[in-house]
Amino acid sequence: MSLADRLAAARESAGHELVEPTPLTERMSQLGKQDRIEEIKGTVHAELLQQLGPQLYDADMDHDELAERVHAVLAEVLGAQEKPLSHRDRARATQEITDDILGYGPIEPFLRDPTVSEVMVNGAHQIWLERDGRLETTAARFVDEAHLRRTIDKIVSRVGRRVDESSPMVDARLPDGSRVNAVIPPLAVDGSALTIRKFAADPLTAEDLVANGTLSPGAHDFLAACVRARLNVIVSGSTGAGKTTTLNVLSSFIPADERIVTIEDAAELQLKQDHVVRLESRPANIEGRGEVDTRDLVRNALRMRPDRIVVGEVRDASALDMLQAMNTGHDGSICTVHSNGPRDTLARIETMVLMAGMDLPMRAIREQMASAIDLIVHQTRFKDGSRRVTHVTEVERMEGDVITLQDVFVLDRPGGDLVPSGLRPKVVEKLEYAGVVVDPALFVPGRRA
């Protein structure tokens, strides 16, 4: 017996009294409604493709004009339905179709939500979010794998990247600078994986980092002085620790009358100075040609008369070129490195220099690092989701075959305060030589920095 027959029999046995819908009937109704909305979305999409064609995916197409055309076709198709949708369902269908055509489908609302910092798609039917450093799942879904792949293709094609079976991994960015990583089958076993690390439209300032506890006021004043005095700074930390945000803040201390060249895999830095040249690496094309990596860009930047070189992330043999730049008059360079601590940062850079294949003696590499790097700012993301600078460490000199380090500020405990170590850093002499004055009280032990 069908569901309708069972419901009719139930009404008859109850003397034709009204029978409240059961949870099963409600779910069936919702599923039917969802199927109808998906059918309408498919009809609208087909109509849009017929009327607008490639304009839907044209990166040069004016967004407002495209939105106007999409809404016109959408109103026409919805108005032609034999069974008109309710006002609520019509509004929902309009929003979902608009997000799908003009945005990025079911993840579009999360990209607009300022409380969401990261969106993670694990296959078509599982979407996770990060809010306040904590993960949560959502009820949003892609229709199927093809729907997810269309969204990925839309994102990567707009920045000149591609993803297919021959190149199944890609790094890209959204127009607002948010970082995108996508992995598709066969590498992603359970369906395409899409990760979007959002970059705030209004980036955090140095004052914001002090207010939320990432930096202390004293460490803020010291780092601002070091950047103005053209010291070379490495920002280190694990994935998701907030290195790029801190790099952005440190770059804001660079004087406005200097020429800055930024080098990134996916352009996301948002510097406010007027004289900024932004360079972005490029992967190889489908023939395996045309790749321009970070190392190529660092070497080229040296010929562009930079006052400062800012590298989004050093992860390969470009570390050697960065050290060379820092040691040949390009002071004031800032970059990030993945590592677990200040000492580990030096080990990572050492390893990356060896990747250049120059067969340099270990002592020569360490002497280059000790001479080039002035400060390491190490940042950590804690289990409660907070991100804090845990060490501001000075790179001093070589003693035997070891580079000596000295903590200037250190986090006294997890969730605690960034306090001065009580040691006066040697770089104060460099600050004085550059005409930058810092308050000696910043380094007084027991004083909150």
Side-chain angles (χ1 to χ4, degrees):
M1 183 184 293
S2 69
L3 177 62
D5 292 337
R6 291 202 302 272
L7 288 173
R11 279 195 295 269
E12 185 175 349
S13 64
H16 302 287
E17 293 180 1
L18 180 64
V19 177
E20 291 294 330
T22 66
L24 176 60
T25 62
E26 289 178 354
R27 286 201 301 271
M28 294 289 287
S29 175
Q30 290 295 329
L31 286 173
K33 189 182 298 181
Q34 179 64 33
D35 288 343
R36 187 169 174 222
I37 291 176
E38 291 298 338
E39 182 182 346
I40 293 172
K41 286 166 63 176
T43 304
V44 172
H45 199 272
E47 188 67 26
L48 286 168
L49 285 175
Q50 183 176 348
Q51 293 194 25
L52 303 181
Q55 294 177 10
L56 287 175
Y57 303 99
D58 185 357
D60 299 325
M61 179 75 173
D62 181 73
H63 186 272
D64 292 336
E65 181 183 351
L66 180 59
E68 187 177 336
R69 295 189 184 185
V70 168
H71 285 129
V73 174
L74 182 54
E76 180 183 331
V77 173
L78 290 177
Q81 294 297 306
E82 293 181 3
K83 295 180 180 179
L85 292 171
S86 68
H87 178 74
R88 183 177 179 180
D89 289 343
R90 184 186 180 99
R92 176 186 163 193
T94 300
Q95 186 62 58
E96 289 185 6
I97 294 168
T98 303
D99 286 345
D100 205 24
I101 301 299
L102 300 177
Y104 302 109
I107 62 173
E108 182 67 24
F110 308 126
L111 298 179
R112 292 195 297 261
D113 186 345
T115 67
V116 175
S117 57
E118 196 142 0
V119 179
M120 293 148 280
V121 181
N122 305 338
H125 305 301
Q126 195 176 65
I127 299 176
W128 290 77
L129 308 176
E130 181 189 276
R131 277 195 178 97
D132 299 323
R134 298 179 180 275
L135 294 180
E136 60 183 63
T137 189
T138 74
R141 301 287 185 269
F142 285 87
V143 177
D144 52 25
E145 174 68 15
H147 186 199
L148 174 55
R149 285 288 297 273
R150 284 199 306 271
T151 302
I152 293 173
D153 289 338
K154 182 187 294 187
I155 292 172
V156 302
S157 63
R158 287 180 175 175
V159 290
R161 303 289 171 95
R162 63 183 178 86
V163 59
D164 52 35
E165 283 72 14
S166 63
S167 179
M169 296 186 296
V170 66
D171 284 314
R173 57 181 166 81
L174 298 179
D176 65 358
S178 296
R179 185 187 303 174
V180 178
N181 176 268
V183 186
I184 66 171
L187 299 189
V189 178
D190 298 319
S192 299
L194 175 65
T195 310
I196 301 176
R197 180 172 298 169
K198 291 174 59 181
F199 208 69
D202 185 18
L204 295 178
T205 64
E207 291 72 23
D208 293 328
L209 293 193
V210 172
N212 64 27
T214 299
L215 270 179
S216 64
H220 163 274
D221 295 343
F222 176 65
L223 290 173
C226 290
V227 173
R228 289 198 302 273
R230 302 181 65 85
L231 269 60
N232 295 317
V233 181
I234 305 290
V235 180
S236 63
S238 60
T239 299
K243 298 186 298 298
T244 302
T245 298
T246 300
L247 176 63
N248 216 46
V249 167
L250 293 180
S251 300
S252 71
F253 300 139
I254 299 174
D257 60 349
E258 296 188 13
R259 175 176 169 87
I260 307 169
V261 178
T262 70
I263 299 168
E264 302 172 82
D265 278 336
E268 56 183 332
L269 291 175
Q270 295 175 300
L271 274 61
K272 299 300 184 183
Q273 290 86 342
D274 293 329
H275 200 165
V276 178
V277 179
R278 305 169 72 206
L279 304 180
E280 186 178 54
S281 63
R282 184 180 72 182
N285 61 17
I286 197 167
E287 290 87 17
R289 301 176 181 174
E291 179 180 8
V292 180
D293 60 19
T294 304
R295 189 177 187 189
D296 297 326
L297 294 178
V298 170
R299 285 199 295 255
N300 187 77
L302 301 178
R303 306 184 185 101
M304 298 175 67
R305 198 259 175 225
D307 289 308
R308 309 272 185 152
I309 299 175
V310 178
V311 181
E313 183 182 340
V314 177
R315 65 176 75 183
D316 53 25
S318 61
L320 176 60
D321 299 281
M322 275 301 300
L323 292 179
Q324 296 285 352
M326 292 174 176
N327 276 320
T328 54
H330 295 88
D331 297 327
S333 299
I334 312 173
C335 61
T336 73
V337 172
H338 275 84
S339 74
N340 295 324
R343 174 66 61 185
D344 188 51
T345 299
L346 296 181
R348 279 270 297 150
I349 295 174
E350 190 176 291
T351 301
M352 290 186 288
V353 169
L354 293 172
M355 292 168 62
M358 301 297 289
D359 197 25
L360 296 171
M362 199 65 69
R363 183 177 177 83
I365 297 173
R366 292 175 181 172
E367 286 176 345
Q368 286 274 312
M369 290 193 293
S371 175
I373 304 167
D374 295 301
L375 282 179
I376 298 172
V377 179
H378 186 74
Q379 191 157 336
T380 299
R381 173 181 166 186
F382 292 97
K383 287 187 177 180
D384 63 358
S386 64
R387 295 170 170 87
R388 290 175 179 265
V389 172
T390 60
H391 297 79
V392 177
T393 302
E394 179 183 21
V395 180
E396 289 192 302
R397 61 188 180 277
M398 289 284 292
E399 288 188 3
D401 289 333
V402 178
I403 301 174
T404 58
L405 301 178
Q406 173 178 291
D407 290 333
V408 183
F409 297 96
V410 64
L411 197 69
D412 56 359
R413 66 187 185 282
D417 299 322
L418 191 63
V419 298
S421 64
L423 300 173
R424 183 178 185 269
K426 304 288 192 304
V427 296
V428 169
E429 298 172 5
K430 293 185 179 181
L431 299 182
E432 293 172 349
Y433 183 79
V436 178
V437 179
V438 294
D439 183 359
L442 291 179
F443 312 115
V444 174
R447 176 185 182 273
R448 182 173 176 177

